[in-house]
Each structure stands twice: as structure tokens, then as C-alpha cells.
């Protein structure tokens, strides 16, 4: 799930932008009623913050868990083939290490490693493409749920949980968002 590694940054920008845009729309225009002798004492409340594990939301919500299972099933045979090729390489590495003569086995090992590297890269690209396509609608649903939740709860910032060394557990809204995403999905027959 390589694409998930960039999601925290995308999420932070999206939520911050969406919350700022919505709060700008909700803002009332200021009226100039104060005189020069009156000091403006408008004190804004402190911004509220929340923490989320975006990856957990995507993979633990019902539609996300289903997508993960489907992707794993789709690529199961390829994953097995990659594992067999990797075992083959390890055996050959052991043989080359134990042999005083490196010649043809060393060349065969290099060829297998090159083939494995190419196949592995191709495999990872296929999985990543599939994940990006399959998760795109869910990401949109999660982002909508996050913006609605933030607006309802008066949250001005939502940050990826992995960006913190310590945070108060009460700030973590991951489970709340998972519940909302699950509730927003149409009932399965």
C-alpha cells in the first residue's frame, strides 16, 4: 500500500484548505461600529485539534477492509510466484557462498536477482495502480466525513497521528471517522 504513505500530507492540506474555505464562507462581514476611542476586544477561541490515522481509517472501515481483501486475492498468485523466486535466489546465494568456484552459479544468481528486481518492481507498480484506482472513491468519502466531523465538532486542524511523539488519546478521532464512513456506506444485502 505504497500510495498510503503520501496520504498524510494530502490529507492535511485537504482538510486545512476545506476547513478554511468553509469558515471563510461562514464568517460574517465585520461592521465598523467602533469609535477611535474604543478598543476592539474580539477574542477568538483557541483552535481545536484532532489526530487521525488515515491509513487505519482506510483499511479498517468496512469498505476499505473489503478492498484490501479483494486486492490481496487478486494478486495472491503473483505474490506466491515472487516468494518462490525469492526462495530460489536464497538457495543459490547459499550455494555460491559455499563454493570456492563462483563462475556459472554466480552468473545465474546475478541473472535471477535482476529478474526478481524487475518482476518485483512491476508487481509493486501493478498493486499500487490497483490500490489507487480502488481506494479513490473511498478516499473521497473519508475526506467528506472528516470535513463534516471537523465542522460539527469545531475542529480547526486534523493531523496525521504518525507526526507526533506524544498526544492525548482523547484527540484521536480515528474510530469516530471509521464509524461515520461505515454508516455512510449503503447497506449490503
Amino acid at each position: 500500500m505504497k500510495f498510503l504513505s503520501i496520504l498524510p500530507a494530502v490529507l492535511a492540506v485537504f482538510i486545512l484548505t476545506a476547513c478554511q474555505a468553509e469558515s471563510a464562507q461562514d464568517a460574517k462581514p465585520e461592521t465598523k461600529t467602533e469609535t477611535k476611542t474604543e478598543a476592539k476586544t474580539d477574542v477568538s477561541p483557541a483552535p481545536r485539534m484532532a489526530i487521525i490515522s488515515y491509513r487505519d481509517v482506510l483499511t479498517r472501515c468496512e469498505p476499505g477492509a473489503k478492498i484490501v481483501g479483494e486486492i490481496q486475492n487478486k494478486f495472491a498468485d503473483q505474490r506466491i510466484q515472487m516468494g518462490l523466486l525469492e526462495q530460489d535466489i536464497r538457495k543459490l546465494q547459499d550455494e555460491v557462498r559455499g563454493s570456492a568456484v563462483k563462475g556459472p552459479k554466480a552468473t545465474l544468481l546475478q541473472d535471477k536477482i535482476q529478474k526478481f528486481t524487475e518482476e518485483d518492481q512491476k508487481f509493486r507498480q501493478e498493486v499500487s495502480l490497483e490500490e489507487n484506482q480502488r481506494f479513490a472513491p473511498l478516499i473521497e468519502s473519508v475526506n467528506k466525513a472528516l470535513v463534516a466531523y471537523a465542522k460539527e465538532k469545531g475542529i480547526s486542524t486534523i493531523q496525521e497521528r504518525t507526526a507526533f511523539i506524544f498526544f492525548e488519546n482523547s484527540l484521536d478521532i480515528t474510530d469516530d471517522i471509521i464509524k461515520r464512513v461505515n454508516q455512510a456506506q449503503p447497506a449490503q444485502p
Side-chain angles (χ1 to χ4, degrees), residues 1-178:
M1 296 195 154
K2 188 176 183 178
F3 85 100
L4 292 176
S5 64
I6 64 167
L7 287 177
V10 172
L11 170 67
V13 171
F14 174 80
I15 291 177
L16 184 59
T17 305
C19 289
Q20 287 175 344
E22 286 182 9
S23 64
Q25 291 173 351
D26 293 342
K28 296 177 184 166
E30 290 186 34
T31 56
K32 280 273 190 177
T33 56
E34 63 185 73
T35 64
K36 288 184 180 184
T37 57
E38 294 176 347
K40 191 171 183 179
T41 58
D42 182 24
V43 178
S44 299
R48 289 202 49 224
M49 178 181 193
I51 308 296
I52 190 169
S53 170
Y54 203 78
R55 180 184 178 94
D56 283 356
V57 171
L58 288 177
T59 58
R60 287 181 32 217
C61 70
E62 291 168 10
K66 182 179 176 185
I67 291 169
V68 168
E70 290 169 351
I71 291 172
Q72 286 176 344
N73 289 339
K74 180 176 182 173
F75 292 102
D77 291 340
Q78 284 178 274
R79 189 168 272 122
I80 290 169
Q81 292 302 316
M82 294 300 295
L84 293 173
L85 186 55
E86 189 173 10
Q87 286 176 352
D88 216 15
I89 289 171
R90 286 190 181 149
K91 265 187 198 175
L92 203 49
Q93 283 175 329
D94 291 342
E95 289 176 21
V96 169
R97 274 191 214 122
S99 173
V101 180
K102 303 289 186 212
K105 285 194 177 188
T107 304
L108 180 61
L109 176 61
Q110 287 176 344
D111 291 344
K112 285 194 179 231
I113 290 173
Q114 182 177 352
K115 179 182 178 185
F116 176 82
T117 303
E118 291 168 359
E119 291 294 319
D120 186 54
Q121 184 178 17
K122 181 181 172 187
F123 174 69
R124 289 175 189 272
Q125 287 173 345
E126 288 175 18
V127 171
S128 181
L129 180 63
E130 183 75 16
E131 288 173 339
N132 289 338
Q133 290 172 347
R134 299 289 305 276
F135 275 100
L138 180 57
I139 289 170
E140 191 174 318
S141 292
V142 169
N143 288 342
K144 286 180 183 176
L146 281 169
V147 170
Y149 185 90
K151 191 173 182 180
E152 287 172 24
K153 303 291 184 178
I155 296 171
S156 56
T157 302
I158 300 175
Q159 181 68 39
E160 175 61 36
R161 180 167 57 195
T162 57
F164 292 91
I165 295 171
F166 172 80
F167 60 87
E168 183 66 40
N169 286 336
S170 63
L171 295 174
D172 192 332
I173 62 170
T174 302
D175 291 335
D176 293 340
I177 300 303
I178 290 171

